[in-house]
Amino acid sequence: MFGTTLILALREIRRHILRSFLTILGIVIGVAAVITMVTLGNGATAAVKEQISSLGSNILMVRPGQGFGRGGGGESPPPFKMEDLDAIREQIGGVRAVAGQAQATGVAVRNAQNWSTSINGTSNDYFTAQNWALSSGRLFSAAEEQAGKSVCIIGTTIVSNLFQGDNPVGQRFRIKDVSCEVIGVLQSRGQGGFGNDQDDVVVMPIKAVQRRFSGNRDIRAIMVSVDDGYDTASVQNALSGLLRERRKLAPAAPDDFNVLDTKQISDAVSGSTKVLTGLLGAVAAVSLIVGGIGIMNIMLVSVTERTREIGIRLAIGALGHEVLLQFLVEAVVLACLGGVIGILIAFVTTVFAAPALGVPFMFDPFINIVAFVFSAVIGVVFGYFPARRAAALNPIEALRHE
């Protein structure tokens, strides 16, 4: 009986193909919108996680001041010293690498090309902490770090703008008034977690940057890499305690430095994007309700148009629940058909939209199944009332209907 009912439903849908398509349009748009929003949202979350993870795994960033800046108009908090780095290495367990950073900006010049870039003074521990390998060349030697020689490791953005196809290793260029020998090229990393170009950088020994660019021995940031077997929270507490002791802060005094855990940043940003994805999906799901109302409206019209047909069926022995099933199946088939079309549209849309937005395409079977099941439920819920109305018709009155 169910097979016959399904055939009748498909036949009726085919008889009014345009009306049927317009009826399910709301379901199509709703399903496509929900899947598209959730898929792109998941891709955005993955992209943010990947960009933040490019800062390094299990990394603690230490800076003077509270928050990202010192804030207010008070006295600037003191910078860190080389001795602070040595104390962190020696007195805190679970530390894999400690890299101080002194930063500056300048215009790099070679032949007729010039490029404004950032200068990062640090040590080889910086590359260890960030898991950043070289595509060619070598790292700093111990003698170069100790003497602060004018050697540098550059990113691929510098290579493309200054060297334009030439092998930069072993060549020299000038940045500000300093002539720098290129000893290595970093592997490309692209955009960072905060929208910056990670490949647009010149890395030099920290003593060279302090002596030739900043003019002091100050360290404005410390990058601490924690071993995988250690809890970053415990290491962070130990680090804060050590720095408070070295900076001679009173027990009641607030920290004049801040420690940022990249994992916490990643979790916070990912949580925010997931909430936004959920809200966008919920807003898009409203159109499914609108589509369900459209199905109910058309099914009521169909019941009115087919009153005599219903009366004939009831008069020759059809039971009320059989008539109910016929119209209910028709509504569910319409909703499911809309769900399938919506899934196909969403798939095609996200395949092309994800690369355009710069996020990975992440097919999620779960949300596709949920959207399809929800569309079927919409068909059941909004198709039941018209079907119930058809089953409750009086056969005599139905036969008299014009």
Side-chain angles (χ1 to χ4, degrees), residues 312-343:
I312 293 172
R313 290 197 62 192
L314 292 173
I316 62 176
L319 300 178
H321 72 270
E322 293 175 340
V323 175
L324 184 145
L325 182 63
Q326 177 186 350
F327 283 86
L328 189 59
V329 168
E330 189 173 326
V332 173
V333 168
L334 281 171
C336 290
L337 185 60
V340 170
I341 297 174
I343 290 173

mmCIF file of all heavy atoms in Angstrom, residues 312-343:
data_model
loop_
_atom_site.group_PDB
_atom_site.id
_atom_site.type_symbol
_atom_site.label_atom_id
_atom_site.label_comp_id
_atom_site.label_asym_id
_atom_site.label_seq_id
_atom_site.Cartn_x
_atom_site.Cartn_y
_atom_site.Cartn_z
ATOM 1 N N ILE A 312 -14.609 10.335 -3.941
ATOM 2 C CA ILE A 312 -14.730 9.073 -4.697
ATOM 3 C C ILE A 312 -13.949 7.964 -3.993
ATOM 4 O O ILE A 312 -14.442 6.824 -3.858
ATOM 5 C CB ILE A 312 -14.240 9.275 -6.145
ATOM 6 C CG1 ILE A 312 -15.186 10.214 -6.898
ATOM 7 C CG2 ILE A 312 -14.127 7.945 -6.871
ATOM 8 C CD1 ILE A 312 -14.676 10.628 -8.269
ATOM 9 N N ARG A 313 -12.745 8.264 -3.561
ATOM 10 C CA ARG A 313 -11.922 7.247 -2.887
ATOM 11 C C ARG A 313 -12.595 6.752 -1.610
ATOM 12 O O ARG A 313 -12.608 5.559 -1.311
ATOM 13 C CB ARG A 313 -10.533 7.804 -2.555
ATOM 14 C CG ARG A 313 -9.643 8.052 -3.768
ATOM 15 C CD ARG A 313 -8.193 8.206 -3.356
ATOM 16 N NE ARG A 313 -7.702 6.977 -2.726
ATOM 17 C CZ ARG A 313 -6.552 6.870 -2.063
ATOM 18 N NH1 ARG A 313 -5.796 7.953 -1.912
ATOM 19 N NH2 ARG A 313 -6.164 5.741 -1.529
ATOM 20 N N LEU A 314 -13.145 7.712 -0.849
ATOM 21 C CA LEU A 314 -13.811 7.316 0.395
ATOM 22 C C LEU A 314 -15.090 6.518 0.100
ATOM 23 O O LEU A 314 -15.438 5.585 0.833
ATOM 24 C CB LEU A 314 -14.143 8.565 1.221
ATOM 25 C CG LEU A 314 -12.939 9.325 1.805
ATOM 26 C CD1 LEU A 314 -13.391 10.625 2.455
ATOM 27 C CD2 LEU A 314 -12.203 8.461 2.856
ATOM 28 N N ALA A 315 -15.785 6.901 -0.997
ATOM 29 C CA ALA A 315 -17.052 6.235 -1.322
ATOM 30 C C ALA A 315 -16.847 4.785 -1.762
ATOM 31 O O ALA A 315 -17.718 3.931 -1.533
ATOM 32 C CB ALA A 315 -17.784 7.023 -2.412
ATOM 33 N N ILE A 316 -15.718 4.487 -2.409
ATOM 34 C CA ILE A 316 -15.494 3.122 -2.899
ATOM 35 C C ILE A 316 -14.722 2.263 -1.901
ATOM 36 O O ILE A 316 -14.261 1.168 -2.233
ATOM 37 C CB ILE A 316 -14.763 3.136 -4.257
ATOM 38 C CG1 ILE A 316 -13.368 3.779 -4.113
ATOM 39 C CG2 ILE A 316 -15.582 3.858 -5.310
ATOM 40 C CD1 ILE A 316 -12.556 3.745 -5.406
ATOM 41 N N GLY A 317 -14.569 2.777 -0.681
ATOM 42 C CA GLY A 317 -14.025 1.929 0.376
ATOM 43 C C GLY A 317 -12.699 2.315 0.963
ATOM 44 O O GLY A 317 -12.177 1.614 1.847
ATOM 45 N N ALA A 318 -12.095 3.414 0.497
ATOM 46 C CA ALA A 318 -10.821 3.836 1.095
ATOM 47 C C ALA A 318 -11.046 4.299 2.529
ATOM 48 O O ALA A 318 -12.059 4.946 2.833
ATOM 49 C CB ALA A 318 -10.211 4.962 0.261
ATOM 50 N N LEU A 319 -10.141 3.949 3.383
ATOM 51 C CA LEU A 319 -10.239 4.344 4.786
ATOM 52 C C LEU A 319 -9.646 5.736 4.989
ATOM 53 O O LEU A 319 -8.830 6.203 4.197
ATOM 54 C CB LEU A 319 -9.506 3.329 5.658
ATOM 55 C CG LEU A 319 -10.021 1.878 5.588
ATOM 56 C CD1 LEU A 319 -9.169 0.962 6.453
ATOM 57 C CD2 LEU A 319 -11.492 1.815 6.015
ATOM 58 N N GLY A 320 -10.052 6.348 6.093
ATOM 59 C CA GLY A 320 -9.577 7.707 6.376
ATOM 60 C C GLY A 320 -8.064 7.780 6.525
ATOM 61 O O GLY A 320 -7.415 8.703 6.028
ATOM 62 N N HIS A 321 -7.475 6.766 7.200
ATOM 63 C CA HIS A 321 -6.025 6.832 7.411
ATOM 64 C C HIS A 321 -5.254 6.622 6.101
ATOM 65 O O HIS A 321 -4.118 7.071 5.963
ATOM 66 C CB HIS A 321 -5.589 5.810 8.462
ATOM 67 C CG HIS A 321 -5.641 4.384 7.983
ATOM 68 N ND1 HIS A 321 -6.761 3.588 8.117
ATOM 69 C CD2 HIS A 321 -4.694 3.614 7.373
ATOM 70 C CE1 HIS A 321 -6.488 2.384 7.621
ATOM 71 N NE2 HIS A 321 -5.247 2.376 7.162
ATOM 72 N N GLU A 322 -5.880 5.957 5.116
ATOM 73 C CA GLU A 322 -5.235 5.800 3.816
ATOM 74 C C GLU A 322 -5.196 7.134 3.060
ATOM 75 O O GLU A 322 -4.198 7.460 2.416
ATOM 76 C CB GLU A 322 -5.976 4.748 2.994
ATOM 77 C CG GLU A 322 -5.858 3.336 3.564
ATOM 78 C CD GLU A 322 -6.702 2.334 2.802
ATOM 79 O OE1 GLU A 322 -7.639 2.761 2.098
ATOM 80 O OE2 GLU A 322 -6.413 1.131 2.917
ATOM 81 N N VAL A 323 -6.271 7.889 3.150
ATOM 82 C CA VAL A 323 -6.287 9.221 2.539
ATOM 83 C C VAL A 323 -5.291 10.131 3.247
ATOM 84 O O VAL A 323 -4.544 10.902 2.607
ATOM 85 C CB VAL A 323 -7.711 9.816 2.597
ATOM 86 C CG1 VAL A 323 -7.706 11.258 2.060
ATOM 87 C CG2 VAL A 323 -8.687 8.958 1.810
ATOM 88 N N LEU A 324 -5.264 10.047 4.571
ATOM 89 C CA LEU A 324 -4.306 10.847 5.344
ATOM 90 C C LEU A 324 -2.884 10.513 4.921
ATOM 91 O O LEU A 324 -2.046 11.401 4.717
ATOM 92 C CB LEU A 324 -4.510 10.600 6.834
ATOM 93 C CG LEU A 324 -3.655 11.427 7.804
ATOM 94 C CD1 LEU A 324 -4.433 11.755 9.070
ATOM 95 C CD2 LEU A 324 -2.369 10.697 8.183
ATOM 96 N N LEU A 325 -2.607 9.208 4.782
ATOM 97 C CA LEU A 325 -1.267 8.782 4.400
ATOM 98 C C LEU A 325 -0.893 9.300 3.017
ATOM 99 O O LEU A 325 0.253 9.704 2.781
ATOM 100 C CB LEU A 325 -1.170 7.256 4.446
ATOM 101 C CG LEU A 325 0.204 6.649 4.114
ATOM 102 C CD1 LEU A 325 1.242 7.093 5.140
ATOM 103 C CD2 LEU A 325 0.119 5.133 4.064
ATOM 104 N N GLN A 326 -1.856 9.310 2.097
ATOM 105 C CA GLN A 326 -1.567 9.772 0.744
ATOM 106 C C GLN A 326 -1.087 11.219 0.739
ATOM 107 O O GLN A 326 -0.057 11.540 0.132
ATOM 108 C CB GLN A 326 -2.813 9.638 -0.137
ATOM 109 C CG GLN A 326 -2.609 10.176 -1.566
ATOM 110 C CD GLN A 326 -3.899 10.160 -2.378
ATOM 111 O OE1 GLN A 326 -4.886 9.584 -1.957
ATOM 112 N NE2 GLN A 326 -3.869 10.825 -3.533
ATOM 113 N N PHE A 327 -1.825 12.090 1.415
ATOM 114 C CA PHE A 327 -1.442 13.499 1.424
ATOM 115 C C PHE A 327 -0.207 13.755 2.277
ATOM 116 O O PHE A 327 0.605 14.640 1.969
ATOM 117 C CB PHE A 327 -2.623 14.362 1.910
ATOM 118 C CG PHE A 327 -3.670 14.558 0.860
ATOM 119 C CD1 PHE A 327 -4.691 13.627 0.690
ATOM 120 C CD2 PHE A 327 -3.634 15.650 0.017
ATOM 121 C CE1 PHE A 327 -5.659 13.798 -0.288
ATOM 122 C CE2 PHE A 327 -4.597 15.836 -0.964
ATOM 123 C CZ PHE A 327 -5.612 14.897 -1.121
ATOM 124 N N LEU A 328 -0.047 12.987 3.344
ATOM 125 C CA LEU A 328 1.132 13.153 4.192
ATOM 126 C C LEU A 328 2.397 12.739 3.438
ATOM 127 O O LEU A 328 3.427 13.431 3.497
ATOM 128 C CB LEU A 328 0.973 12.321 5.472
ATOM 129 C CG LEU A 328 2.024 12.548 6.568
ATOM 130 C CD1 LEU A 328 2.012 14.010 7.006
ATOM 131 C CD2 LEU A 328 1.756 11.638 7.761
ATOM 132 N N VAL A 329 2.304 11.626 2.707
ATOM 133 C CA VAL A 329 3.454 11.184 1.907
ATOM 134 C C VAL A 329 3.788 12.214 0.842
ATOM 135 O O VAL A 329 4.965 12.495 0.572
ATOM 136 C CB VAL A 329 3.167 9.803 1.274
ATOM 137 C CG1 VAL A 329 4.211 9.470 0.204
ATOM 138 C CG2 VAL A 329 3.170 8.723 2.346
ATOM 139 N N GLU A 330 2.778 12.806 0.251
ATOM 140 C CA GLU A 330 3.019 13.827 -0.768
ATOM 141 C C GLU A 330 3.768 15.022 -0.184
ATOM 142 O O GLU A 330 4.711 15.546 -0.795
ATOM 143 C CB GLU A 330 1.686 14.276 -1.363
ATOM 144 C CG GLU A 330 1.824 15.180 -2.576
ATOM 145 C CD GLU A 330 0.478 15.463 -3.223
ATOM 146 O OE1 GLU A 330 -0.397 14.564 -3.205
ATOM 147 O OE2 GLU A 330 0.316 16.580 -3.755
ATOM 148 N N ALA A 331 3.377 15.435 1.007
ATOM 149 C CA ALA A 331 4.060 16.565 1.659
ATOM 150 C C ALA A 331 5.501 16.210 2.021
ATOM 151 O O ALA A 331 6.425 17.016 1.831
ATOM 152 C CB ALA A 331 3.284 16.988 2.912
ATOM 153 N N VAL A 332 5.700 14.992 2.534
ATOM 154 C CA VAL A 332 7.047 14.569 2.919
ATOM 155 C C VAL A 332 7.947 14.435 1.696
ATOM 156 O O VAL A 332 9.119 14.813 1.723
ATOM 157 C CB VAL A 332 6.990 13.249 3.721
ATOM 158 C CG1 VAL A 332 8.387 12.710 3.975
ATOM 159 C CG2 VAL A 332 6.261 13.458 5.044
ATOM 160 N N VAL A 333 7.398 13.895 0.604
ATOM 161 C CA VAL A 333 8.187 13.764 -0.627
ATOM 162 C C VAL A 333 8.604 15.142 -1.133
ATOM 163 O O VAL A 333 9.752 15.347 -1.560
ATOM 164 C CB VAL A 333 7.385 13.008 -1.704
ATOM 165 C CG1 VAL A 333 8.071 13.122 -3.063
ATOM 166 C CG2 VAL A 333 7.239 11.547 -1.321
ATOM 167 N N LEU A 334 7.677 16.106 -1.103
ATOM 168 C CA LEU A 334 8.026 17.466 -1.511
ATOM 169 C C LEU A 334 9.154 18.022 -0.640
ATOM 170 O O LEU A 334 10.132 18.597 -1.150
ATOM 171 C CB LEU A 334 6.794 18.375 -1.410
ATOM 172 C CG LEU A 334 5.760 18.294 -2.531
ATOM 173 C CD1 LEU A 334 4.519 19.086 -2.157
ATOM 174 C CD2 LEU A 334 6.356 18.816 -3.843
ATOM 175 N N ALA A 335 9.048 17.856 0.684
ATOM 176 C CA ALA A 335 10.062 18.383 1.598
ATOM 177 C C ALA A 335 11.408 17.689 1.390
ATOM 178 O O ALA A 335 12.457 18.340 1.371
ATOM 179 C CB ALA A 335 9.595 18.230 3.042
ATOM 180 N N CYS A 336 11.393 16.371 1.220
ATOM 181 C CA CYS A 336 12.640 15.629 1.020
ATOM 182 C C CYS A 336 13.285 15.995 -0.311
ATOM 183 O O CYS A 336 14.518 16.096 -0.407
ATOM 184 C CB CYS A 336 12.385 14.133 1.082
ATOM 185 S SG CYS A 336 11.962 13.525 2.729
ATOM 186 N N LEU A 337 12.465 16.187 -1.326
ATOM 187 C CA LEU A 337 12.997 16.609 -2.613
ATOM 188 C C LEU A 337 13.668 17.974 -2.492
ATOM 189 O O LEU A 337 14.752 18.207 -3.046
ATOM 190 C CB LEU A 337 11.867 16.656 -3.646
ATOM 191 C CG LEU A 337 12.273 16.969 -5.100
ATOM 192 C CD1 LEU A 337 13.239 15.910 -5.619
ATOM 193 C CD2 LEU A 337 11.030 17.041 -5.988
ATOM 194 N N GLY A 338 13.025 18.863 -1.752
ATOM 195 C CA GLY A 338 13.640 20.170 -1.502
ATOM 196 C C GLY A 338 14.939 20.041 -0.727
ATOM 197 O O GLY A 338 15.908 20.761 -0.987
ATOM 198 N N GLY A 339 14.975 19.092 0.236
ATOM 199 C CA GLY A 339 16.202 18.873 0.997
ATOM 200 C C GLY A 339 17.346 18.391 0.135
ATOM 201 O O GLY A 339 18.486 18.858 0.260
ATOM 202 N N VAL A 340 17.071 17.456 -0.773
ATOM 203 C CA VAL A 340 18.111 16.922 -1.658
ATOM 204 C C VAL A 340 18.645 18.022 -2.574
ATOM 205 O O VAL A 340 19.867 18.177 -2.742
ATOM 206 C CB VAL A 340 17.557 15.749 -2.487
ATOM 207 C CG1 VAL A 340 18.554 15.346 -3.569
ATOM 208 C CG2 VAL A 340 17.250 14.563 -1.590
ATOM 209 N N ILE A 341 17.741 18.810 -3.177
ATOM 210 C CA ILE A 341 18.176 19.899 -4.055
ATOM 211 C C ILE A 341 18.989 20.925 -3.263
ATOM 212 O O ILE A 341 20.011 21.433 -3.738
ATOM 213 C CB ILE A 341 16.967 20.562 -4.726
ATOM 214 C CG1 ILE A 341 16.246 19.559 -5.631
ATOM 215 C CG2 ILE A 341 17.390 21.784 -5.526
ATOM 216 C CD1 ILE A 341 14.956 20.092 -6.235
ATOM 217 N N GLY A 342 18.550 21.227 -2.038
ATOM 218 C CA GLY A 342 19.277 22.177 -1.197
ATOM 219 C C GLY A 342 20.677 21.695 -0.864
ATOM 220 O O GLY A 342 21.640 22.479 -0.861
ATOM 221 N N ILE A 343 20.831 20.388 -0.589
ATOM 222 C CA ILE A 343 22.158 19.825 -0.287
ATOM 223 C C ILE A 343 23.076 19.948 -1.498
ATOM 224 O O ILE A 343 24.257 20.328 -1.367
ATOM 225 C CB ILE A 343 22.020 18.354 0.154
ATOM 226 C CG1 ILE A 343 21.363 18.277 1.542
ATOM 227 C CG2 ILE A 343 23.383 17.663 0.175
ATOM 228 C CD1 ILE A 343 21.029 16.874 1.979
#
